[in-house]
Amino acid sequence: GRPSFKTQAEQAVEKLRDSARLVMVHVQAFRKKLGEATLKSFASTPWQTNYIHIPGKEALMSDYDRWVATTLVEICPRAMSPSRIEGANKLRGYGLVREGVYCGPGDKTTKKSDADGCKRFADASFADKKSGTTTWKAFAFGGGVCHVYKQPCKAYKLGSQFNVYEKPPPAPKKKKKL
C-alpha cells in the first residue's frame, strides 16, 4: 500500500537515492493509482525494473518461494543457485572464485581466448601421467592471458581484466559397506 507517513518516506527516499538503488515491492491485491504512482516515484530509475507488484498477501503467502526468487532476480540479476553453480563447476572442472584480481605471475603463462582454453592449457601443463590427474590448483584468465598456478591463491592482486578460477573440491569418497 501507500506509505503512512508520506513526508517522512519522501525524505528517507531522497537521503538514500544518492547512495543506493531503491526497489519497491508493492504487496496489495487491488492497487490504488495514487499509491502505485507514489511507490513508482520512490523507485530508482527506470521504475520498470525497480518496482515489483505482488497481488496481495494471500498471493505472496501461497507462492512465497516464487515471489522471493522473482524479487531476488530483479534486484540482483547475477544471483544464481549455489547448487546450480556447484553442478556447473563440477561439469566444467573449474569454478569462478574472485573477479577483478589475479595471483601474480603464474607457474605457467600463455595466451588463450577464453577460460575454457585456459583450463585445457592447465590440464595439459600439469598432467600427472602416472595417476591420470592434473596437479594445478587455480588459474587466472583475462584479456587473452592465462596464468596457471600449482597452489591455490593466498594473496590476490588487483587486475581488473582477470578473474581467478579453481578446481572444484573432489567428491568425498564413498565408504564401502561391510
Side-chain angles (χ1 to χ4, degrees):
R2 63 183 165 79
S4 303
F5 302 99
K6 189 175 178 192
T7 303
Q8 286 102 329
E10 286 171 345
Q11 290 169 348
V13 164
E14 288 311 311
K15 243 186 210 177
L16 289 170
R17 195 173 297 284
D18 291 337
S19 62
R21 176 181 170 201
L22 301 177
V23 177
M24 297 293 129
V25 179
H26 190 176
V27 181
Q28 192 170 37
F30 303 102
R31 294 179 284 187
K32 293 184 175 118
K33 293 287 182 199
L34 182 61
E36 180 182 355
T38 300
L39 291 178
K40 285 179 180 178
S41 75
F42 287 172
S44 293
T45 305
W47 68 261
Q48 290 87 343
T49 58
N50 294 302
Y51 170 84
I52 300 165
H53 174 245
I54 299 173
K57 290 178 186 173
E58 191 174 307
L60 173 63
M61 297 316 291
S62 68
D63 205 358
Y64 189 79
D65 289 343
R66 181 177 74 89
W67 286 111
V68 168
T70 299
T71 303
L72 181 62
V73 167
E74 282 298 320
I75 292 171
C76 184
R78 291 182 62 186
M80 291 181 64
S81 156
S83 59
R84 185 173 282 184
I85 292 170
E86 183 180 353
N89 290 351
K90 283 182 183 176
L91 190 63
R92 273 195 321 249
Y94 67 92
L96 179 65
V97 178
R98 300 271 309 252
E99 294 179 321
V101 296
Y102 71 118
C103 311
D107 294 302
K108 293 249 181 174
T109 299
T110 191
K111 293 189 180 289
K112 290 293 172 189
S113 61
D114 59 19
D116 288 331
C118 193
K119 192 262 186 190
R120 287 190 296 275
F121 172 73
D123 286 346
S125 299
F126 293 97
D128 182 349
K129 293 178 185 14
K130 207 191 255 183
S131 68
T133 61
T134 58
T135 58
W136 65 272
K137 300 294 185 207
F139 67 83
F141 175 77
V145 177
C146 171
H147 295 289
V148 182
Y149 308 101
K150 292 182 198 174
Q151 300 300 319
C153 267
K154 291 192 176 19
Y156 296 98
K157 297 181 180 196
L158 287 179
S160 61
Q161 69 178 357
F162 288 100
N163 293 327
V164 174
Y165 304 86
E166 289 181 0
K167 284 184 185 181
K173 293 182 181 180
K174 293 184 179 179
K175 294 181 181 180
K176 292 181 182 179
K177 291 183 180 178
L178 298 174

